[in-house]
Structures are given as structure tokens and as C-alpha cells.
Amino acid sequence: MLQQSPKDLAHQGNMRGACGRINQDVINIDYHTLPVQVPENLIYKGLEDGYSLVKFDNSMMWFIVFVTYQMYYDYPPPTYLEYPILIAQDVILLLLILHYNGSLKQSLIYAVVFVVGWQLLTVQKWIIDLAMSLCTFISAGSKFAQLQCLWQSKDSGQVSALSWGMATYTCFARIYTTSVTTGDMQVLVRFIVMALLNSWVLATVLYYRKRAGEVQKKQD
């Protein structure tokens, strides 16, 4: 077995240190933006207009798939700890939606469905691998749907550029941490796709916000 030089060991130590700091930054970002994202998502997802619970359930399920995939392959917890925070956010949103729709009793049904689905994911290796692949496609479709909503409304007033900026940073950070720690290609592909689409959404939000500001100035 070849021994690594002190220079190589130092380089690996620096990479692990940087990875650890990025992991902490990502977790802190998701934790501290949770109070902002919950009310924003309630507005954006159209609670008052009867937001589709089917689409909402898909969002939560794919977060669960990602966490389960990471746990199944025994990857380091710091590389995915922000996802339990996202799941907690979606649980809060789901309970609020059910409460305002007067159907809070259905929360027990949703809990049973998610728990059973979670258990089924790890029955066979090919099931969790397939679910992870589908996770990327579904998430990408969700981003395109959000882009379409922005294109149609031409209004980004109810969308937080800060939240999308944080989401974009998180994806790029996870590209680095995944490359350094696990090198899992499925995870890398997911974060690369999400980083590009989040950047697109962020650019669209900033574009419409700038245009709205210019229109307001002309009216004044």
C-alpha cells in the first residue's frame, strides 16, 4: 500500500475541513430561513386558492426519498442534514393547509402513507435507486412548473429572491461536498440539475423584479 506524502495528507485535511464548514453553512442557512420560507410558501403555493395537495405530497415524498437514499448507503449525516429541516417545513405547511381546509383529521392518513412508503423504499436496492432517479426528474419538473408560473404572471413580487439564492448556493455547495465525500453520481447529477434550474428561477425572479421597478419609476 502506497503511503501518502505529507503534502497530500495536508491537502485532504484542508478539503475535509472546507467540506465540514460548508456542511455547517448549509444547515445553518436552512435552519434560519425556515421562519421565512413557511409563510412565503403558503402564499406561493396558493393556500387560499386550494393548492393541490397531490403536488405538495410529491414534494415531501421526494425529500424523504433523498434522505432514505443517503441513509441506505450509510453516507455521512452532515451531507444531507438540511433535508430533515425541509421535511419539517413541509410537515408544518401540510398541517396548516389541512387546518385551514378544515380537514386536519386527514393528517393521520398522510402519516401512515408516508411511513409505509418510507419502509417500502428499502425493501430492495433497485427500488431506492429507481426512486432516487425519479426524484431528480420530478424535482426538475417542479422547477419548470415554477418557471412557467413566473413566465405567465410576469410577477415575482410574492417570490423571495433570497430564498432562491440560498437554494442555489445550497446546491452548488452540495456538489462540492458530494464530490469530496461520497462521489455518488446520482446525487451529483441531482444537485447539478437543481443548481442550474434554481439559478434559472433566481435569474427570472430578479429580471421581473427589476422590470417591475423600472415600470414603477416611469409611472412616478
Side-chain angles (χ1 to χ4, degrees):
M1 183 176 179
L2 295 177
Q3 292 185 349
Q4 293 180 316
S5 66
K7 183 178 180 180
D8 290 337
L9 292 174
H11 178 64
Q12 289 181 4
N14 290 335
M15 290 182 67
R16 285 194 295 269
C19 188
R21 289 190 294 271
I22 292 173
N23 285 334
Q24 189 61 51
D25 287 344
V26 170
I27 295 168
N28 288 336
I29 285 171
D30 284 299
Y31 177 77
H32 290 295
T33 57
L34 181 60
V36 177
Q37 291 174 347
V38 169
E40 175 194 321
N41 285 338
L42 281 174
I43 296 173
Y44 185 72
K45 292 177 177 179
L47 174 60
E48 297 177 353
D49 297 329
Y51 174 71
S52 171
L53 284 176
V54 174
K55 294 180 181 179
F56 180 82
D57 294 340
N58 286 339
S59 172
M60 188 189 299
M61 180 57 74
W62 296 125
F63 288 151
I64 292 174
V65 167
F66 187 81
V67 172
T68 307
Y69 180 89
Q70 299 280 340
M71 294 174 64
Y72 183 85
Y73 285 102
D74 198 25
Y75 290 155
T79 62
Y80 61 87
L81 275 182
E82 72 272 19
Y83 278 84
I85 298 175
L86 294 173
I87 292 172
Q89 171 188 294
D90 275 3
V91 169
I92 295 171
L93 286 168
L94 178 60
L95 291 175
L96 288 173
I97 291 172
L98 292 175
H99 171 72
Y100 286 115
N101 287 342
S103 53
L104 189 58
K105 293 181 180 179
Q106 293 182 11
S107 60
L108 180 60
I109 299 175
Y110 284 100
V112 172
V113 171
F114 284 124
V115 170
V116 171
W118 198 341
Q119 294 300 317
L120 289 176
L121 286 172
T122 55
V123 171
Q124 294 288 338
K125 179 179 179 296
W126 67 268
I127 295 177
I128 188 63
D129 289 341
L130 177 61
M132 184 61 188
S133 297
L134 292 175
C135 174
T136 301
F137 287 107
I138 297 295
S139 298
S142 174
K143 303 298 180 186
F144 276 116
Q146 290 166 325
L147 279 168
Q148 188 175 19
C149 288
L150 287 171
W151 294 333
Q152 290 176 349
S153 66
K154 301 185 186 302
D155 179 16
S156 62
Q158 293 183 341
V159 183
S160 170
L162 177 61
S163 295
W164 281 103
M166 295 299 185
T168 303
Y169 168 78
T170 297
C171 287
F172 280 112
R174 284 308 180 202
I175 291 173
Y176 174 79
T177 58
T178 302
S179 300
V180 172
T181 54
T182 66
D184 189 301
M185 188 54 63
Q186 279 209 77
V187 178
L188 277 173
V189 168
R190 171 181 168 77
F191 283 129
I192 290 171
V193 172
M194 292 300 102
L196 294 175
L197 291 176
N198 284 343
S199 299
W200 193 357
V201 174
L202 176 60
T204 303
V205 169
L206 294 176
Y207 169 76
Y208 284 125
R209 189 154 299 175
K210 180 181 178 182
R211 196 172 73 169
E214 292 174 350
V215 172
Q216 186 65 33
K217 287 182 180 178
K218 289 180 180 179
Q219 291 177 349
D220 295 339

